[in-house]
Amino acid sequence: MLQQTDWDLCQTTALRVREHIIRLATNGGCFVGASLSCVDLLVYLYTQYLNIHQENLADPQRDYLFLSKGHDVPALYGLFVELGWLAPERLQNHLQTNDDIYWHPNRAIPGVEFHSGSLGHLLPVAVGVALDCKLRGQNNRVLVMTGDGELNEGSNWEALLVARAYRLNNLTVIVDRNRFQANLATESLIPLEPLAKKFKAFGAVPLWVDGHNFWALDETFEMLPLEKDRPSIILAQTTRGKGVPSLENRADRWFCNFTAAEVEDLLAELHGQHTAVLTSAPQVVR
Ligand SMILES: Cc1ncc(C[n+]2csc(CCOP(=O)(O)OP(=O)(O)O)c2C)c(N)n1
């Protein structure tokens, strides 16, 4: 059960991860809006829930978390820095040719479970890993985080059919339901609702949670698996750009390449000092 000291740790870690994301969004930029939306989920999972530590990364019986929405890697690498898994100076190598720190996860970085970036691939991978764990009689947990727009990929739904057929109750899918995909509102492109019903129809057990509330996340994840013999789906209600009001719920601030002055301004806004004034043109990426 989450204690106040755990909540404090989550809160300070999340703030620092958000700082890393904003700092990475210059000199070529990164997927800022999307990364900010899943910070609290990742921080809670890695600091409070998952049995994944630097010391047990080679142990097949540890837990697994597959980041299928690979463009959120600034959040993952920022968190790895805070966990002490990645040297902070390596973030300065972002997009340089001398390192593997890049727009998408690379398994060369300890802690990254699998390469991602091409959407719709890591739920199928996670299903395979969860099946393998089950066949070996292991009790570890396999989690995968997808975007909501990413659910347009049919591979996710095929994988769910397999997960149900093999009764993979050790598998949990977390959907970062920030209601945007790239530079559009998700429901305006290919509507997903009623999303929970769709997951139910595929034999999985969905549950909605506030993806920014550590208390609610703890209550929810402690309930897993939600049902015997079925995969669990955590539908995390999140906010694109969370933590920086001038970036929140902005379709056009998904991928950002800020000037150095804007970065400083946004960091001040993150700390509640004022509202940043953004002069760089919004980036529209399809
Ligand atoms: C197979 C594939 N098709 C298209 C893309 C381009 N792409 C990258 S992210 C993205 C939108 C993803 O939306 P969502 O899953 O909702 O994530 P978020 O809005 O949080 O960024 C798209 C279309 C891709 N990376 N892979």
Side-chain angles (χ1 to χ4, degrees), residues 34 69 71 117-119 147-150 153 178 180-182 240 254:
K69 52 183 316 226
H71 55 289
S118 185
L119 300 170
D148 48 2
E150 184 178 0
E153 300 288 345
N178 60 25
F180 286 93
Q181 64 183 103
R240 163 80 73 87
W254 175 59

Side-chain angles (χ1 to χ4, degrees), residues 158-205:
E158 290 180 52
L160 279 172
L161 291 175
V162 178
R164 170 59 182 129
Y166 286 92
R167 301 164 190 268
L168 299 183
N169 66 349
N170 56 343
L171 177 76
T172 299
V173 183
I174 304 153
V175 180
D176 183 5
R177 183 71 166 124
N178 60 25
R179 295 185 180 269
F180 286 93
Q181 64 183 103
N183 297 115
L184 295 165
T186 306
E187 293 303 297
S188 74
L189 187 62
I190 299 178
L192 288 169
E193 294 300 342
L195 191 52
K197 278 191 181 166
K198 285 179 177 137
F199 279 113
K200 267 190 206 160
F202 275 72
V205 192

Side-chain angles (χ1 to χ4, degrees), residues 108-160:
I109 308 295
V112 171
E113 306 289 8
F114 211 80
H115 299 293
S116 53
S118 185
L119 300 170
H121 287 282
L122 292 204
L123 176 51
V125 170
V127 165
V129 172
L131 178 58
D132 181 66
C133 293
K134 214 170 178 64
L135 291 175
R136 289 171 196 272
Q138 295 177 187
N139 291 321
N140 49 341
R141 301 166 293 196
V142 180
L143 276 64
V144 56
M145 186 183 293
T146 73
D148 48 2
E150 184 178 0
L151 295 175
N152 293 347
E153 300 288 345
S155 49
N156 292 307
W157 302 96
E158 290 180 52
L160 279 172

